[in-house]
Amino acid sequence: MTTLLKADGLSRTFGLPRTSLRAPAAHRLAVSEVSLELNKGNSLGVVGESGSGKSTLARLLLALDRPDAGTVHYRDRVVLPGAPRKLTWFRREVQVVLQDPMGPLDPRATVRDIVAEPLECLRLAGDHDDRVDELLRVVGLEPSVRGRYPHEFSGGQRQRIAVARALAPGPKVLVGDEPLSALDVSVRAQILALLDDLAEAYGLTLRGAASARRSSVAATPTGSHRDDLSSQERP
């Protein structure tokens, strides 16, 4: 089985504000020695309480933050934060859908510009307008909305726009950082079904994170984490 995304011993700490001039600097351990493997065609979930390090782990996997220890590999190639042009190859292969369906969307940009942004930033060839229309249909929106702005949509519709943008460069891996947590229960089911359908249709490999009231230590064949780390292979 082909391993696409792999993490070995990732750790990340953050400095905390001093409570006293005499007190030593305090640190918070956000991620501790996390190892995982995401194989082609599989899905993997990371479940834990709010503040348990799920988003930090996602940032490390996406090369948006540098770990204090450990490494991230994609197709056996080391991935490190750096200049955007040095990560173009990685951004074409790995994309993300974030928690807040409104925050990542530029309120001054039209749907067309939002969805086409990765196509332009990654300098992908082809008719971008046609690609935008295709992606809007794929996520269940009419191409006629391309001239509208994010504030004109519901939360579920905005998340569909975010998914369309993530799919634009044709990634092999889609990372979700709690993409359902800000949505109503009924809308969550719709977006979850959409992601599942897209994964099957496009052969996507998924990594997702979700909150839980309780977290537990769970060991996997690739390591352990204080959160509940589980993986399953889609049929």
Side-chain angles (χ1 to χ4, degrees), residues 8-16 26-34 56-57 59-61 64-72 79-81:
D8 290 310
L10 291 181
S11 295
R12 184 71 168 97
T13 58
F14 295 95
L16 298 178
H27 295 84
R28 175 180 173 80
L29 181 63
V31 174
S32 178
E33 299 182 4
V34 174
T56 299
L57 177 59
R59 290 180 58 83
L60 295 175
L61 294 175
L64 296 174
D65 192 11
R66 186 178 296 271
D68 298 321
T71 57
V72 175
V79 181
L80 290 171

Side-chain angles (χ1 to χ4, degrees), residues 70-81 86-87 89-90:
T71 57
V72 175
H73 290 80
Y74 183 77
R75 294 186 184 272
D76 296 325
R77 184 173 175 180
V78 177
V79 181
L80 290 171
K86 292 184 178 180
L87 286 169
W89 66 276
F90 182 65

